[in-house]
Amino acid sequence: MRLILTTLVALFLCANLSAQNQPWQGKFEPIDNLIAPPNTYRTASGAPGKDYWQQRANYKIKAELDEVNNTVHGEETITYFNNSPDELSYVWIQLEQNVNKKGNEDFGSINNNMRDGMNARQLQFLTRAINFPAGYTIKYVKDGNSNNLKSMVNNTMMKVKLNTSLQPNTSTTIQIAWSYHITDRSMFLLSREGYEHFPEDDNTVYLMAHWFPRMAVYNDTEGWQNQQFQKLGEFALEFGNYDVTITVPQDHIVASTGTLQNPESVLTRKQRQRLKEAEKSFEKPVMIITREEAEANEKEKTTKKKTWKFKAENVRDFAFASSRKFLWDAQNVKLPTNNVMAMSFYPKEGLPVWKEESTKAIMHALEVYSEATFDYPYPVCISVNTSNIGMEFPMISFNGGRPKNGKMSKGAKAGMIGTIIHEVGHNWFPMIVSSDERKWMWMDEGLNTFLHQRTVAERYPDFNSTTPKSIVPFMSGDKNILRPIMTTSDNELLSQFSANFYLKPTVGLQMLRNSIVGKELFDEAFKEYANRWKYKHPNPGDLFRTLEDATAVDLDWFFRGWFFTTDHVDIELADVKWFKIYEENKNIEEQRKSYKMEIEADGKTSNAKDFSNGPETIKMSKTPDAVYGGFLSRIDEEEVKKQLSGKNIYEITIKNKGGLVMPVTIEWVYSDGSKEIDRLPADVWRRNEYEIKKTFVKEKEVVEVNLDPNFEFADTDTANNSFPKTSSKSEFDSFKSKN
């Protein structure tokens, strides 16, 4: 063995030293030091371990919406289950409404810069010139026996000290009474909830989200996830069952998480009959509340009240919308294992586009996402029209996009439909595959956008959808301000969080599916991840490990580069050399030509700019016995020469200029006009992360070579991807030609 190793070193040492003269960066090293180590809670395969646990919280809530004062007040009873191995002397409860309080540490900080010219709304965002009341008033916090519990509010978190420590595998009851002023959504940035006023008919649409005190997550990796809500990083929540009663003005219609329990008390007989018809309609929506009924409600403005009752099982949150302006349509969607009622609620200002498109978009999302992961498990899926945002909650989403005077451009309609698909898709990520949004925005936004864009590409092929080319401008940006995907949610810039947390993960998953792993194998692995972590709390390492575990493909190089760095893809086709084997039996003219090329080469290869000088010739010599070492057999050298006779041998040199290693796709364009594709895996960069050489034998003569011809890998500079080189004018030449 020692003799063999010595021989190998003698053969390759010189070549390796000359090939890589830049620092080794370990691009193919395992990412074990970058993610949490496996344990009995989370295994090395990426699956939940035998000791995995998570907490649970059930809610019973009674709430009333006061339209006159734009307030909501309620009482809730939380039954909190401690499934952890730890004794808990206190719990943390989230009070996200406090983020809008005057003097909140985060107010105005998202886009806090003055400019020469600013409109009144921008100044309002920064200065709060028009003040408005916001934040919770907590009336009481009690235990299940109505004994007071000591509580302390720290901004958007409330610490509740238990009278008796909560032991493992037991539960406790907490009662809270609260109220707050509902905020005008137009008054501040990133307004996920609140009310929208319609001056023309003096009515309001209420979007009620993170509207009640909610249990914070306690888990095996964070302990208490009590990071403050700062608007960008969203939510981390526990699963549970909800029993909710909502009292609103009598002429309001309520869209909500869960199943309506008392339709006979809140809907007319005709509306209940229409709802029954919708349950049998799989082809088109049925109007439950018509335009005429909605317009009549707009004018009534009764002071009477009615109470809507809903129940929801195994959800991590609860939201609702309420207004007298709502039209309502619904249809049934058949999935392989169950049926889902797809519903849309919208004011007349959404007509006709919302009536035509919203419920249809829900249906498309339900079908594509279910096929890619698991069947949507809940009984209803609702899209509510609003302005300026898209926001998701279990079974219900608030979606922007509204026509002007009944008309909408194709681009605006595509944006509206895309928003609906995206927010409906969030039912899977993170409402069921419940990652920590507060910490890792990309884990829900990136995975969801991946399937959202797939839905658009498959069901709306005329619309634009994200491809690797979409991320090039971002990845070509200033490295001084770019951050890796693996940046916590609130530490990203507002100007680039969409590209970094939505688009870049999407493109990464597209590349894995289409060009690195393969569709069939990747789809199985992605589905495996979704099903492993359904109704659980995955971390980034669980995703990375599952994708490797379920594909038998080493992807650490990809995760390291794409998720943990700001490197970009720029693969350069640095050189192409053309060779032929010298043959003694050629006719005299070819012989002379060959000798001429050989003499010019003088044992060295030239750096030709194109193929016009023809091939260089190689004399194939007899292999010395010493090269065989201890082998007694010999290669049939005449057969080697015969197989290469007349063939075109091409040596290509490829350089990694951007830093990210990627597979290499090579397009050969032949003199007869035909084309051929060769693919090299990313592994070709393992021994030299900066430059590789590869030799190919071709029957035909090549006139052009191109890298990444189908733009699969987000190459930021395609001008250096071809041979012969494509010439580009300098700025001076361009200026001169224009003049």
Side-chain angles (χ1 to χ4, degrees), residues 22 92 109 125 161 202 229 246 254 286 435 509 615 620 676:
Q22 299 182 63
W92 283 98
S109 69
F125 292 161
K161 301 196 72 173
D202 192 29
F229 180 45
I246 306 165
V254 175
V286 173
S435 57
L509 294 172
M620 193 181 89
E676 183 184 11

Side-chain angles (χ1 to χ4, degrees), residues 424-444:
V424 167
H426 271 304
N427 278 284
W428 282 266
F429 308 99
M431 298 304 153
I432 299 173
V433 183
S434 184
S435 57
D436 182 350
E437 298 176 273
R438 188 68 51 88
K439 191 170 186 180
W440 304 117
M441 185 189 295
W442 70 266
M443 280 198 74
D444 73 291

Side-chain angles (χ1 to χ4, degrees), residues 329-333 340-344 359 362-363 366 380-381:
D329 70 52
Q331 79 169 75
N332 212 334
V333 178
V340 181
M341 287 296 291
M343 302 179 178
S344 295
T359 300
I362 298 173
M363 176 192 69
L366 289 172
V380 299
C381 188

Side-chain angles (χ1 to χ4, degrees), residues 588-599:
I588 193 67
E589 290 301 320
E590 289 180 333
Q591 190 90 309
R592 286 176 178 170
K593 183 178 179 180
S594 295
Y595 273 117
K596 181 181 177 184
M597 292 297 295
E598 183 186 2
I599 292 167

Side-chain angles (χ1 to χ4, degrees), residues 125-137:
F125 292 161
L126 291 182
T127 67
R128 200 164 179 156
I130 301 174
N131 194 21
F132 51 89
Y136 282 108
T137 297

